[in-house]
């Protein structure tokens, strides 16, 4: 146990160590050159963590490892629950049926496509394939972190998925403004999108929340409706992670029973933190807490997520990546093409129907 008498001191020291590194990541992410690229503290945290794992790891007390693991598991789940303070049900209602349907279609299709391609076509193990698909289909690194405990996957597999999110999410952040300025906005007919439609398209297909925010901000003269729709549709995808994880837990339980991989029966895997996440979003929808307090809660939550991501990086050693090859890159690249091209078609079709 992490806080047993023999482990308590090392666990607390490890948590403090992770917190200090996460604080450094937060500071770096706030520097103007980094901030201009919309690189979140979570990404900076995992980079520093990976650097530590592969260079300095042996120079620190092994007893701290329990604190690092605690940060990557327990603190993570706590942070995911309080992530619910970032959205309200009213926001989801405001964007209407179009935003909801685009979110639902893109999330489910991308997750299924990515899992199938990664596992069946590119021969990745199931957990890595699902984690990579989760990051692309829902909300980037945070989705990978939320999915990892449901799968009970090894930390280095989550690191692979996060690296794919960073790569293709960053490409999206620069690609979409160019697409809008050169093709979508000046076009006529099917290729044309109104600012409102483009906002739905951005929110329904780009990986990270920060990247979604960055795209409308990068388009000169973009109307407010574009940014608003992009963020609301993105947050709709974020809240869908809870039902997705519950369905995934049910599937994993059924699959284990079917294959007889666990003797004596298999317990249903319900990610309760995802259920609590929905409850927290519902509570936030009541607006019982002043906005300035909610803002502080979100800042603390971002720091806790940064701690979890940093701890994830600290458990990632390059030796564990042997044998993966280019499969994650191929799988994530295929999902990226689906998000960009398929997402455009889906958005146009949904807007036309509804």
């Amino acid at each position: 146990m992490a806080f047993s008498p023999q482990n308590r001191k090392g666990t607390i020291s490890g948590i403090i160590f992770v917190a200090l590194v996460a604080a450094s990541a937060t500071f770096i992410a706030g520097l103007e050159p980094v901030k201009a690229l919309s690189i979140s503290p979570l990404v900076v945290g995992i980079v520093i963590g990976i650097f530590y794992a592969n260079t300095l790891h042996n120079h620190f007390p092994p007893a701290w490892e329990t604190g690092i693991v605690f940060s990557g598991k327990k603190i993570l789940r706590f942070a995911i629950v309080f992530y619910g303070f970032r959205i309200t049900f009213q926001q989801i209602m405001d964007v209407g049926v179009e935003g909801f349907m685009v979110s639902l279609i893109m999330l489910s299709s991308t997750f299924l496509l990515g899992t199938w391609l990664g596992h069946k076509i590119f021969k990745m193990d199931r957990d890595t394939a699902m984690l990579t698909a989760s990051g692309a289909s829902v909300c980037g690194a945070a989705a990978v972190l939320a999915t990892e405990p449901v799968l009970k996957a090894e930390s280095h597999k989550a690191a692979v998925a996060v690296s794919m999110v960073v790569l293709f999410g960053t490409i999206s952040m620069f690609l979409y403004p160019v697409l809008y300025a050169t093709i979508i906005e000046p076009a006529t007919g099917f290729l044309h999108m109104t600012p409102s439609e483009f906002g739905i398209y951005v929110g329904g297909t780009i990986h990270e929340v920060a990247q979604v925010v960055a795209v409308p901000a990068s388009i000169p003269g973009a109307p407010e409706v574009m940014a608003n729709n992009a963020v609301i549709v993105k947050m709709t995808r974020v809240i869908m992670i809870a039902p997705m994880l519950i369905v995934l837990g049910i599937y994993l339980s059924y699959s284990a029973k079917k294959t007889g991989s666990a003797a004596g029966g298999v317990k249903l895997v319900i990610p309760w933190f995802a259920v609590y996440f929905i409850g927290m979003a519902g509570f936030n929808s009541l607006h019982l807490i002043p906005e300035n307090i909610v803002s502080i809660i979100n800042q603390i939550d971002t720091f806790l997520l940064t701690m979890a991501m940093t701890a994830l990086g600290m458990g990632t050693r390059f030796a564990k990546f042997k044998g993966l090859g280019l499969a994650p890159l191929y799988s994530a690249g295929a999902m990226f093409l689906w998000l960009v091209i398929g997402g455009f078609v889906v958005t146009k079709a949904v807007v036309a129907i509804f």
Side-chain angles (χ1 to χ4, degrees):
M1 297 294 290
F3 287 96
S4 61
Q6 62 268 34
N7 292 334
R8 187 178 297 125
K9 184 178 179 180
T11 299
I12 294 173
S13 297
I15 293 172
I16 293 173
F17 175 58
V18 173
L20 290 173
V21 176
S24 301
T26 301
F27 173 77
I28 293 171
L31 298 175
E32 280 305 317
V34 181
K35 195 174 181 180
L37 295 174
S38 296
I39 298 176
S40 72
L42 281 71
V43 174
V44 178
I46 195 172
V47 170
I48 296 176
I50 290 174
F51 175 80
Y52 159 83
N54 292 279
T55 55
L56 306 173
H57 175 261
N58 293 329
H59 299 284
F60 287 81
W64 291 9
E65 195 66 28
T66 53
I68 294 172
V69 173
F70 181 88
S71 299
K73 301 290 185 181
K74 302 298 184 182
I75 290 179
L76 162 64
R77 299 185 188 199
F78 183 82
I80 292 295
V81 170
F82 279 86
Y83 201 84
F85 269 104
R86 299 171 190 265
I87 55 178
T88 66
F89 293 158
Q90 290 92 329
Q91 289 176 318
I92 296 171
M93 293 296 292
D94 286 343
V95 81
V97 178
E98 295 99 330
F100 175 80
M101 290 305 299
V102 169
S103 297
L104 179 62
I105 293 170
M106 293 311 300
L107 186 153
S108 55
S109 62
T110 305
F111 184 80
L112 292 173
L113 175 67
T115 300
W116 178 75
L117 284 174
H119 190 44
K120 298 297 184 181
I121 303 302
F122 299 120
K123 306 304 179 184
M124 293 158 58
D125 66 273
R126 185 204 64 180
D127 288 354
T128 306
M130 284 187 170
L131 287 168
T132 306
S134 175
S137 62
V138 189
C139 54
V144 175
L145 285 174
T147 307
E148 185 263 341
V150 178
L151 294 173
K152 299 178 182 176
E154 298 172 78
S155 60
H156 74 280
K157 295 178 181 179
V160 171
V162 170
S163 66
M164 294 300 101
V165 165
V166 172
L167 174 61
F168 288 100
T170 302
I171 293 173
S172 298
M173 188 175 67
F174 292 102
L175 174 65
Y176 277 59
V178 174
L179 286 177
Y180 184 78
T182 60
I183 299 176
I184 295 173
E185 196 275 335
T188 57
F190 181 77
L191 288 178
H192 177 75
M193 274 185 168
T194 65
S196 175
E197 292 171 345
F198 187 73
I200 294 174
Y201 170 52
V202 168
T205 57
I206 291 182
H207 299 63
E208 292 273 4
V209 175
Q211 294 158 352
V212 168
V213 172
V215 168
S218 303
I219 299 174
E224 188 176 349
V225 67
M226 181 188 292
N228 289 348
N229 280 4
V231 172
I232 292 170
V233 172
K234 181 61 182 177
M235 296 318 289
T236 304
R237 283 170 68 196
V238 171
I239 200 172
M240 283 182 180
I241 192 172
M244 185 200 82
L245 292 179
I246 292 170
V247 171
L248 181 60
I250 294 171
Y251 165 77
L252 292 174
S253 176
Y254 171 78
S255 178
K257 287 180 180 178
K258 187 177 179 180
T259 58
S261 59
V266 179
K267 291 183 179 180
L268 175 61
V269 181
I270 297 179
W272 287 108
F273 65 92
V275 178
Y276 300 146
F277 166 82
I278 292 179
M280 198 63 73
F283 175 77
N284 189 42
S285 302
L286 300 175
H287 300 292
L288 298 177
I289 299 179
E291 288 187 11
N292 61 320
I293 302 299
V294 172
S295 177
I296 293 172
I297 291 173
N298 287 338
Q299 289 176 26
I300 295 172
D301 187 59
T302 297
F303 182 74
L304 293 177
L305 285 170
T306 304
M307 283 185 64
M309 191 68 85
T310 301
L312 174 67
M314 289 178 173
T316 303
R317 293 168 181 75
F318 291 139
K320 297 179 180 179
F321 288 87
K322 291 179 180 178
L324 283 174
L326 295 175
L329 191 65
Y330 294 150
S331 179
M335 285 187 286
F336 173 69
L337 290 177
W338 165 245
L339 287 167
V340 174
I341 301 172
F344 182 90
V345 175
V346 167
T347 302
K348 292 292 288 186
V350 167
V351 170
I353 293 170
F354 294 97

